[in-house]
């Protein structure tokens, strides 16, 4: 079943586009950071972020590729609805997992920023998804 497109109000469009843009920008920043600066917690840190979090080095390639595909899925309008839903779900798992990994590793001792900031972006992702879903749902009986 293909969802129907429902027109969002101007305010709702601004909220949707802003939150989607912020989440996409965070993912793009993450991609660039994974590729060009894999040191934790500071640019001249002794170990890579993935090693610090106890993750295998090959996971960086998988996660970077998934993030690139997810950002493209969210930003390209012609991408099918289900693919966009998978991107939202994948980013949700990624952000929640990042927070758990930083908390479990004890990074909150360095700064609460490490385990908390992924949760802030998860909140933005949820808002973006809410408006994405709203824009692709059936119109209410009053609007038909």
């Amino acid at each position: 079943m293909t969802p129907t497109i429902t027109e969002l109000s101007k305010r709702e469009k601004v909220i949707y586009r802003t939150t989607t843009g912020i989440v996409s920008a965070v993912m793009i920043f993450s991609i660039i950071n994974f590729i060009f600066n894999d040191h934790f917690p500071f640019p001249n840190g002794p170990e890579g972020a993935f090693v610090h979090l106890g993750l295998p080095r090959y996971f960086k390639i998988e996660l970077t590729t998934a993030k690139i595909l997810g950002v493209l899925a969210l930003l390209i309008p012609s991408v099918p609805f289900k693919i966009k839903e998978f991107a939202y779900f994948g980013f949700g798992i990624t952000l929640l997992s990042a927070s758990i990994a930083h908390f479990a590793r004890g990074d909150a001792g360095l700064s609460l920023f490490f385990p908390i900031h992924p949760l802030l972006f998860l909140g933005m992702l949820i808002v973006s998804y809410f408006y994405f879903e709203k824009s692709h749902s059936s119109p209410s009986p009053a609007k038909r």
Side-chain angles (χ1 to χ4, degrees):
M1 180 168 108
T2 305
T4 29
I5 305 293
T6 303
E7 190 66 29
L8 296 176
S9 71
K10 209 174 221 185
R11 177 181 176 272
E12 291 171 330
K13 283 181 187 176
V14 168
I15 293 170
Y16 169 68
R17 289 179 180 160
T18 301
T19 55
T20 305
I22 290 170
V23 169
S24 296
V26 165
M27 292 301 159
I28 291 169
F29 174 78
S30 170
I31 292 164
I32 291 168
N33 200 35
F34 286 173
I35 294 171
F36 296 111
N37 180 24
D38 184 31
H39 293 286
F40 182 87
F42 305 105
N44 297 322
E47 61 186 359
F50 282 80
V51 172
H52 171 78
L53 293 173
L55 301 169
R57 292 184 185 271
Y58 66 81
F59 187 62
K60 180 170 81 168
I61 297 167
E62 293 175 11
L63 190 58
T64 302
T65 303
K67 285 183 177 187
I68 290 168
L69 294 173
V71 167
L72 291 173
L74 290 187
L75 297 180
I76 297 173
S78 61
V79 172
F81 178 82
K82 285 290 182 193
I83 301 293
K84 287 183 185 276
E85 280 191 327
F86 277 113
Y88 275 109
F89 182 73
F91 284 157
I93 288 176
T94 299
L95 291 167
L96 187 59
S97 297
S99 181
I100 292 168
H102 283 292
F103 184 76
R105 185 64 174 104
D107 292 340
L110 293 171
S111 170
L112 278 177
F113 175 77
F114 291 115
I116 299 294
H117 91 277
L119 297 177
L120 297 174
F121 294 120
L122 178 61
M124 287 187 199
L125 182 74
I126 290 168
V127 171
S128 173
Y129 180 73
F130 172 79
Y131 286 107
F132 167 74
E133 187 69 31
K134 185 175 181 178
S135 72
H136 288 79
S137 62
S138 327
S140 64
K143 291 185 179 181
R144 286 185 196 167

